[in-house]
Amino acid sequence: MEVRVPYMELLRSPPFLPGGRGRGCLQKPFLIQAKRLGGLEKANTRSRGTQSSEQLKKRAPLAHGTVSPPLPVPSHINRPPYVGTNDVPEIASEIQMHDKESIVHMKAACELAARVLEYAGTLVKPSVTTDEIDKAVHKMIIDAGGYPSPLGYGGFPKSVCTSVNECMCHGIPDSRKLQDGDIINIDVTVYLNGYHGDTSKTFLCGEVDEPSKLLVKVTEECMLRAISACKHGTSFKKIGRRISEHAEKHGFGVVERFVGHGVGRIFHSEPVIYHQRNNMPGQMVAGQTFTIEPILSMGSIECDMWGDGWTAVTTDGSLAAQFEHTILITKTGAEILTKC
Protein backbone atom coordinates (compact mmCIF):
# COMPACT_ATOMS: atom_id res chain seq x y z
CA MET A 1 0.00 0.00 0.00
CA GLU A 2 1.26 3.49 -0.77
CA VAL A 3 0.70 6.90 0.79
CA ARG A 4 -2.21 8.44 -1.09
CA VAL A 5 -3.28 12.05 -1.43
CA PRO A 6 -5.71 13.54 -0.46
CA TYR A 7 -6.45 11.03 2.31
CA MET A 8 -3.13 11.56 3.98
CA GLU A 9 -0.19 13.85 3.60
CA LEU A 10 3.42 13.25 4.47
CA LEU A 11 4.60 16.06 6.72
CA ARG A 12 7.97 17.44 7.67
CA SER A 13 8.90 20.32 9.91
CA PRO A 14 11.70 22.73 9.08
CA PRO A 15 14.50 22.32 8.33
CA PHE A 16 13.41 19.23 6.40
CA LEU A 17 11.05 20.45 3.68
CA PRO A 18 9.74 17.74 1.35
CA GLY A 19 9.29 18.47 -2.30
CA GLY A 20 5.62 19.03 -2.94
CA ARG A 21 4.46 17.18 0.18
CA GLY A 22 3.55 20.02 2.54
CA ARG A 23 4.87 20.74 6.01
CA GLY A 24 3.75 20.50 9.60
CA CYS A 25 4.40 18.96 12.98
CA LEU A 26 6.57 16.03 12.19
CA GLN A 27 9.78 14.37 12.10
CA LYS A 28 10.28 10.83 10.95
CA PRO A 29 8.85 10.15 7.48
CA PHE A 30 6.31 7.80 8.98
CA LEU A 31 4.70 10.82 10.61
CA ILE A 32 1.51 11.20 8.71
CA GLN A 33 -1.44 13.49 9.19
CA ALA A 34 -4.78 11.89 8.47
CA LYS A 35 -7.22 14.33 6.90
CA ARG A 36 -10.84 14.22 8.09
CA LEU A 37 -12.84 11.54 6.36
CA GLY A 38 -16.49 12.44 6.49
CA GLY A 39 -18.23 10.80 9.44
CA LEU A 40 -14.91 10.08 11.13
CA GLU A 41 -14.60 13.74 12.09
CA LYS A 42 -17.19 13.39 14.82
CA ALA A 43 -15.68 10.14 16.09
CA ASN A 44 -12.18 11.59 16.18
CA THR A 45 -13.25 14.56 18.29
CA ARG A 46 -13.77 12.09 21.12
CA SER A 47 -10.03 11.38 21.04
CA ARG A 48 -9.13 14.67 22.72
CA GLY A 49 -7.92 14.08 26.25
CA THR A 50 -9.89 15.46 29.17
CA GLN A 51 -7.54 14.49 31.99
CA SER A 52 -5.73 17.84 32.45
CA SER A 53 -5.74 18.92 36.11
CA GLU A 54 -4.59 21.77 38.33
CA GLN A 55 -1.84 19.47 39.56
CA LEU A 56 -0.49 19.10 36.04
CA LYS A 57 -0.56 22.86 35.46
CA LYS A 58 1.93 23.29 38.29
CA ARG A 59 4.52 21.21 36.48
CA ALA A 60 7.36 23.30 35.04
CA PRO A 61 7.61 23.19 31.23
CA LEU A 62 10.20 20.87 29.75
CA ALA A 63 13.47 22.79 29.49
CA HIS A 64 16.11 22.61 26.78
CA GLY A 65 19.44 21.12 27.77
CA THR A 66 22.82 21.05 26.05
CA VAL A 67 23.17 18.42 23.33
CA SER A 68 26.60 16.78 23.22
CA PRO A 69 28.24 15.66 19.94
CA PRO A 70 27.16 12.37 18.31
CA LEU A 71 28.96 9.32 19.62
CA PRO A 72 31.41 7.44 17.35
CA VAL A 73 30.65 4.05 15.84
CA PRO A 74 33.51 1.62 15.07
CA SER A 75 34.21 1.19 11.37
CA HIS A 76 33.48 -2.54 11.41
CA ILE A 77 29.83 -1.99 12.44
CA ASN A 78 27.42 -2.33 9.52
CA ARG A 79 25.53 0.93 8.91
CA PRO A 80 22.05 1.52 7.45
CA PRO A 81 22.11 3.08 3.94
CA TYR A 82 20.78 6.47 5.13
CA VAL A 83 23.81 7.14 7.36
CA GLY A 84 26.00 9.89 5.97
CA THR A 85 23.22 12.05 4.59
CA ASN A 86 20.93 14.53 6.34
CA ASP A 87 18.07 13.72 4.00
CA VAL A 88 15.10 11.98 5.61
CA PRO A 89 14.33 8.90 3.47
CA GLU A 90 10.92 8.62 1.91
CA ILE A 91 8.66 6.02 3.47
CA ALA A 92 9.17 2.90 1.36
CA SER A 93 6.13 1.65 -0.54
CA GLU A 94 7.03 -2.02 -0.29
CA ILE A 95 5.42 -4.31 2.26
CA GLN A 96 8.20 -6.10 4.11
CA MET A 97 7.51 -9.83 4.05
CA HIS A 98 9.65 -12.47 5.72
CA ASP A 99 10.61 -16.07 5.17
CA LYS A 100 12.06 -18.37 7.83
CA GLU A 101 15.59 -17.06 7.36
CA SER A 102 14.72 -13.37 7.54
CA ILE A 103 12.46 -13.96 10.54
CA VAL A 104 15.51 -15.26 12.40
CA HIS A 105 17.35 -12.01 11.64
CA MET A 106 14.34 -9.90 12.59
CA LYS A 107 14.02 -11.69 15.91
CA ALA A 108 17.69 -11.16 16.68
CA ALA A 109 17.46 -7.40 16.03
CA CYS A 110 14.22 -7.09 17.98
CA GLU A 111 15.47 -9.10 20.94
CA LEU A 112 18.56 -6.92 21.18
CA ALA A 113 16.39 -3.79 21.05
CA ALA A 114 14.22 -5.21 23.84
CA ARG A 115 17.24 -5.97 26.04
CA VAL A 116 18.67 -2.51 25.47
CA LEU A 117 15.34 -0.89 26.33
CA GLU A 118 15.02 -2.95 29.50
CA TYR A 119 18.52 -1.89 30.55
CA ALA A 120 17.85 1.76 29.71
CA GLY A 121 14.81 1.66 31.96
CA THR A 122 16.95 0.70 34.95
CA LEU A 123 18.83 4.00 34.51
CA VAL A 124 15.71 6.13 34.91
CA LYS A 125 16.23 7.88 38.25
CA PRO A 126 16.13 11.47 39.50
CA SER A 127 19.32 13.43 38.64
CA VAL A 128 20.28 11.12 35.73
CA THR A 129 20.54 12.98 32.42
CA THR A 130 19.02 11.72 29.19
CA ASP A 131 22.50 12.14 27.68
CA GLU A 132 23.79 9.53 30.13
CA ILE A 133 21.01 7.20 29.01
CA ASP A 134 21.99 7.80 25.38
CA LYS A 135 25.62 6.92 26.10
CA ALA A 136 24.64 3.69 27.86
CA VAL A 137 22.29 2.67 25.05
CA HIS A 138 24.90 3.46 22.43
CA LYS A 139 27.56 1.37 24.15
CA MET A 140 25.31 -1.63 24.67
CA ILE A 141 24.23 -1.68 21.03
CA ILE A 142 27.77 -1.24 19.70
CA ASP A 143 29.14 -3.90 22.05
CA ALA A 144 26.55 -6.32 20.62
CA GLY A 145 27.69 -5.60 17.07
CA GLY A 146 24.66 -3.48 16.18
CA TYR A 147 24.11 0.08 15.03
CA PRO A 148 21.72 2.51 16.82
CA SER A 149 19.24 3.21 14.02
CA PRO A 150 18.28 6.78 15.04
CA LEU A 151 21.89 7.99 14.85
CA GLY A 152 22.28 9.95 11.63
CA TYR A 153 18.72 9.30 10.49
CA GLY A 154 17.81 12.54 8.71
CA GLY A 155 20.50 14.23 10.78
CA PHE A 156 19.22 13.00 14.15
CA PRO A 157 22.24 13.53 16.44
CA LYS A 158 21.75 10.81 19.04
CA SER A 159 21.44 7.02 19.38
CA VAL A 160 18.07 6.92 21.15
CA CYS A 161 14.98 9.12 21.55
CA THR A 162 14.14 10.25 25.08
CA SER A 163 10.77 12.00 25.41
CA VAL A 164 10.04 13.50 28.82
CA ASN A 165 6.65 14.62 30.19
CA GLU A 166 4.84 16.71 27.53
CA CYS A 167 7.20 15.55 24.77
CA MET A 168 5.15 13.27 22.52
CA CYS A 169 8.13 11.72 20.74
CA HIS A 170 11.57 12.19 19.18
CA GLY A 171 13.10 13.97 22.15
CA ILE A 172 16.85 14.47 21.74
CA PRO A 173 18.95 13.35 24.74
CA ASP A 174 20.68 16.26 26.43
CA SER A 175 22.07 17.55 29.72
CA ARG A 176 18.69 17.98 31.45
CA LYS A 177 18.50 15.92 34.63
CA LEU A 178 15.46 13.76 35.19
CA GLN A 179 13.34 14.95 38.09
CA ASP A 180 11.27 13.14 40.66
CA GLY A 181 7.79 12.69 39.20
CA ASP A 182 8.82 12.77 35.53
CA ILE A 183 7.68 10.24 32.99
CA ILE A 184 10.01 9.40 30.12
CA ASN A 185 9.58 7.42 26.92
CA ILE A 186 12.73 5.72 25.69
CA ASP A 187 12.58 4.69 22.03
CA VAL A 188 15.23 2.17 20.98
CA THR A 189 15.83 0.94 17.45
CA VAL A 190 18.68 -1.43 16.62
CA TYR A 191 20.13 -2.25 13.21
CA LEU A 192 21.67 -5.73 13.37
CA ASN A 193 22.75 -7.90 10.45
CA GLY A 194 20.76 -5.75 8.03
CA TYR A 195 17.49 -5.64 10.00
CA HIS A 196 15.88 -3.05 12.28
CA GLY A 197 14.16 -3.87 15.58
CA ASP A 198 12.04 -1.02 17.00
CA THR A 199 10.51 -0.66 20.46
CA SER A 200 9.72 1.91 23.15
CA LYS A 201 8.31 2.19 26.64
CA THR A 202 7.34 4.98 29.03
CA PHE A 203 9.05 4.74 32.41
CA LEU A 204 8.25 6.38 35.76
CA CYS A 205 10.96 8.44 37.44
CA GLY A 206 10.82 8.42 41.22
CA GLU A 207 7.47 9.17 42.87
CA VAL A 208 4.95 9.78 40.11
CA ASP A 209 1.41 11.09 40.74
CA GLU A 210 -1.58 8.82 40.18
CA PRO A 211 -2.98 10.59 37.07
CA SER A 212 0.40 10.19 35.35
CA LYS A 213 0.60 6.54 36.36
CA LEU A 214 -2.86 5.97 34.89
CA LEU A 215 -1.86 7.60 31.60
CA VAL A 216 1.16 5.31 31.32
CA LYS A 217 -0.85 2.22 32.28
CA VAL A 218 -3.66 2.90 29.82
CA THR A 219 -1.24 3.68 26.98
CA GLU A 220 0.42 0.29 27.37
CA GLU A 221 -3.00 -1.38 27.57
CA CYS A 222 -4.03 0.35 24.33
CA MET A 223 -0.99 -1.03 22.53
CA LEU A 224 -1.55 -4.55 23.84
CA ARG A 225 -5.27 -4.48 22.99
CA ALA A 226 -4.41 -3.46 19.46
CA ILE A 227 -1.82 -6.23 19.13
CA SER A 228 -4.32 -8.81 20.37
CA ALA A 229 -6.60 -7.91 17.45
CA CYS A 230 -3.91 -8.59 14.83
CA LYS A 231 -3.72 -11.67 12.63
CA HIS A 232 -3.72 -12.64 8.96
CA GLY A 233 -6.70 -11.13 7.15
CA THR A 234 -7.60 -8.55 9.80
CA SER A 235 -8.23 -4.98 8.64
CA PHE A 236 -5.59 -2.46 9.75
CA LYS A 237 -8.32 -0.04 10.82
CA LYS A 238 -9.20 -2.38 13.68
CA ILE A 239 -5.99 -1.23 15.41
CA GLY A 240 -7.19 2.36 15.62
CA ARG A 241 -10.63 1.34 16.80
CA ARG A 242 -9.26 -0.80 19.64
CA ILE A 243 -6.91 1.95 20.81
CA SER A 244 -9.47 4.76 20.58
CA GLU A 245 -12.15 2.86 22.47
CA HIS A 246 -9.90 2.11 25.42
CA ALA A 247 -8.30 5.57 25.54
CA GLU A 248 -11.64 7.38 25.43
CA LYS A 249 -13.01 5.24 28.23
CA HIS A 250 -10.34 6.73 30.48
CA GLY A 251 -10.57 10.27 29.14
CA PHE A 252 -7.29 10.31 27.21
CA GLY A 253 -6.68 11.60 23.69
CA VAL A 254 -5.08 9.57 20.90
CA VAL A 255 -2.42 11.53 19.03
CA GLU A 256 -3.09 11.35 15.28
CA ARG A 257 0.04 12.95 13.86
CA PHE A 258 2.39 10.03 14.49
CA VAL A 259 1.88 6.54 13.16
CA GLY A 260 3.30 3.03 13.20
CA HIS A 261 5.06 1.58 10.17
CA GLY A 262 6.45 -1.44 8.44
CA VAL A 263 9.92 -2.36 9.64
CA GLY A 264 12.60 -4.87 8.64
CA ARG A 265 15.47 -4.33 6.23
CA ILE A 266 14.01 -0.86 5.79
CA PHE A 267 13.52 1.35 8.87
CA HIS A 268 10.17 2.84 7.76
CA SER A 269 7.91 1.38 5.10
CA GLU A 270 4.29 0.60 4.33
CA PRO A 271 1.94 -0.34 5.87
CA VAL A 272 1.18 2.91 7.71
CA ILE A 273 -0.48 2.10 11.04
CA TYR A 274 -3.03 4.64 12.26
CA HIS A 275 -3.75 4.61 15.98
CA GLN A 276 -7.00 6.62 15.86
CA ARG A 277 -10.31 5.65 14.26
CA ASN A 278 -9.97 5.58 10.50
CA ASN A 279 -11.39 4.07 7.34
CA MET A 280 -8.10 3.35 5.60
CA PRO A 281 -8.07 0.18 3.48
CA GLY A 282 -5.79 -2.81 3.79
CA GLN A 283 -5.50 -6.13 5.58
CA MET A 284 -2.72 -7.82 7.49
CA VAL A 285 -0.80 -10.63 5.80
CA ALA A 286 1.05 -13.46 7.51
CA GLY A 287 4.80 -12.89 7.36
CA GLN A 288 4.79 -9.09 7.50
CA THR A 289 6.28 -7.04 10.31
CA PHE A 290 5.26 -3.58 11.52
CA THR A 291 5.12 -1.46 14.65
CA ILE A 292 2.18 -0.42 16.79
CA GLU A 293 3.13 2.64 18.83
CA PRO A 294 0.22 4.73 20.16
CA ILE A 295 0.75 8.05 21.90
CA LEU A 296 -1.88 9.15 24.42
CA SER A 297 -2.26 12.62 25.89
CA MET A 298 -4.01 13.97 28.98
CA GLY A 299 -5.05 17.05 27.03
CA SER A 300 -4.26 18.36 23.56
CA ILE A 301 -3.45 15.85 20.84
CA GLU A 302 -1.81 18.60 18.75
CA CYS A 303 1.91 19.34 18.91
CA ASP A 304 4.40 22.17 18.68
CA MET A 305 7.86 21.58 17.27
CA TRP A 306 11.02 22.79 18.94
CA GLY A 307 13.64 24.55 16.87
CA ASP A 308 15.68 21.33 16.63
CA GLY A 309 13.16 20.05 14.10
CA TRP A 310 12.54 16.82 16.03
CA THR A 311 11.13 17.40 19.53
CA ALA A 312 7.31 17.37 19.41
CA VAL A 313 5.53 18.63 22.55
CA THR A 314 1.83 18.90 23.36
CA THR A 315 0.49 22.38 22.60
CA ASP A 316 -0.99 22.79 26.08
CA GLY A 317 1.87 21.22 28.04
CA SER A 318 -0.17 18.18 29.08
CA LEU A 319 1.62 14.88 29.61
CA ALA A 320 1.94 12.30 26.84
CA ALA A 321 2.96 8.65 26.97
CA GLN A 322 3.89 6.08 24.32
CA PHE A 323 4.54 2.36 24.03
CA GLU A 324 5.76 0.44 21.00
CA HIS A 325 6.38 -3.11 19.85
CA THR A 326 7.47 -4.64 16.57
CA ILE A 327 5.15 -7.52 15.71
CA LEU A 328 5.10 -10.39 13.20
CA ILE A 329 1.73 -11.30 11.70
CA THR A 330 0.91 -15.02 11.67
CA LYS A 331 -2.07 -17.05 10.47
CA THR A 332 -3.47 -17.20 14.00
CA GLY A 333 -2.37 -13.95 15.63
CA ALA A 334 0.63 -11.70 16.12
CA GLU A 335 3.97 -12.47 17.68
CA ILE A 336 5.62 -9.69 19.65
CA LEU A 337 9.25 -9.71 18.51
CA THR A 338 10.54 -6.99 20.84
CA LYS A 339 10.43 -9.07 23.99
CA CYS A 340 13.42 -10.11 26.05
Side-chain angles (χ1 to χ4, degrees):
M1 186 178 72
E2 61 183 354
V3 177
R4 297 174 183 173
V5 176
Y7 296 107
M8 49 191 173
E9 177 181 10
L10 186 64
L11 300 173
R12 288 201 196 129
S13 296
F16 308 113
L17 300 177
R21 291 297 191 98
R23 60 192 290 180
C25 178
L26 139 63
Q27 232 9 101
K28 299 179 187 176
F30 61 87
L31 304 179
I32 290 176
Q33 178 182 24
K35 293 191 175 181
R36 299 299 184 195
L37 305 177
L40 284 178
E41 182 170 1
K42 184 176 181 180
N44 281 335
T45 60
R46 294 197 298 269
S47 293
R48 275 70 177 164
T50 59
Q51 286 286 328
S52 294
S53 66
E54 291 300 320
Q55 183 179 18
L56 295 175
K57 292 177 182 178
K58 296 177 182 178
R59 186 189 299 272
L62 185 63
H64 295 256
T66 300
V67 178
S68 61
L71 296 170
V73 178
S75 59
H76 70 274
I77 299 290
N78 188 29
R79 290 154 167 75
Y82 52 77
V83 173
T85 173
N86 285 334
D87 295 331
V88 179
E90 294 291 330
I91 186 168
S93 60
E94 68 179 84
I95 302 294
Q96 300 192 69
M97 302 295 295
H98 299 279
D99 56 21
K100 290 183 178 180
E101 181 179 353
S102 62
I103 287 175
V104 170
H105 292 304
M106 272 299 294
K107 286 184 174 181
C110 288
E111 287 169 4
L112 175 57
R115 292 198 306 272
V116 172
L117 180 61
E118 182 179 55
Y119 172 63
T122 67
L123 305 177
V124 174
K125 297 173 184 176
S127 80
V128 172
T129 68
T130 50
D131 191 58
E132 290 175 293
I133 294 174
D134 178 76
K135 289 177 180 176
V137 165
H138 183 90
K139 184 179 187 303
M140 186 172 179
I141 294 173
I142 296 303
D143 287 350
Y147 183 92
S149 301
L151 183 61
Y153 182 87
F156 193 82
K158 290 296 183 178
S159 300
V160 68
C161 296
T162 52
S163 303
V164 180
N165 295 338
E166 68 265 34
C167 183
M168 290 179 173
C169 57
H170 306 156
I172 298 176
D174 60 22
S175 62
R176 179 190 180 276
K177 293 182 179 180
L178 293 175
Q179 301 173 15
D180 190 60
D182 282 348
I183 63 172
I184 174 175
N185 176 270
I186 301 177
D187 190 339
V188 173
T189 311
V190 168
Y191 185 67
L192 182 68
N193 297 323
Y195 291 81
H196 296 274
D198 195 358
T199 185
S200 85
K201 180 177 180 178
T202 299
F203 297 92
L204 308 178
C205 181
E207 295 297 323
V208 176
D209 62 58
E210 291 304 318
S212 301
K213 287 181 180 178
L214 181 63
L215 171 68
V216 172
K217 176 177 179 290
V218 172
T219 304
E220 183 175 25
E221 290 172 350
C222 283
M223 176 193 64
L224 293 174
R225 284 171 179 256
I227 292 173
S228 69
C230 295
K231 67 177 180 178
H232 177 80
T234 297
S235 296
F236 286 110
K237 63 185 178 183
K238 192 170 185 179
I239 292 172
R241 186 167 69 246
R242 282 283 184 97
I243 291 169
S244 296
E245 288 173 351
H246 192 59
E248 290 163 5
K249 185 171 69 174
H250 293 276
F252 297 123
V254 180
V255 173
E256 301 174 10
R257 298 263 181 160
F258 303 98
V259 301
H261 53 93
V263 64
R265 284 190 172 274
I266 303 169
F267 196 172
H268 302 124
S269 75
E270 298 284 356
V272 171
I273 306 300
Y274 293 93
H275 302 114
Q276 80 282 6
R277 285 187 176 85
N278 66 89
N279 277 334
M280 298 306 292
Q283 294 182 328
M284 303 170 200
V285 178
Q288 69 181 170
T289 49
F290 56 83
T291 69
I292 296 179
E293 46 186 302
I295 304 172
L296 268 57
S297 169
M298 286 186 172
S300 174
I301 62 170
E302 301 300 327
C303 68
D304 292 327
M305 291 298 300
W306 281 9
D308 58 32
W310 289 98
T311 308
V313 297
T314 56
T315 56
D316 61 357
S318 59
L319 295 193
Q322 182 181 32
F323 281 80
E324 174 185 14
H325 272 311
T326 296
I327 65 172
L328 168 69
I329 298 302
T330 70
K331 290 289 186 181
T332 58
E335 181 180 355
I336 297 175
L337 300 183
T338 41
K339 276 187 173 181
C340 293

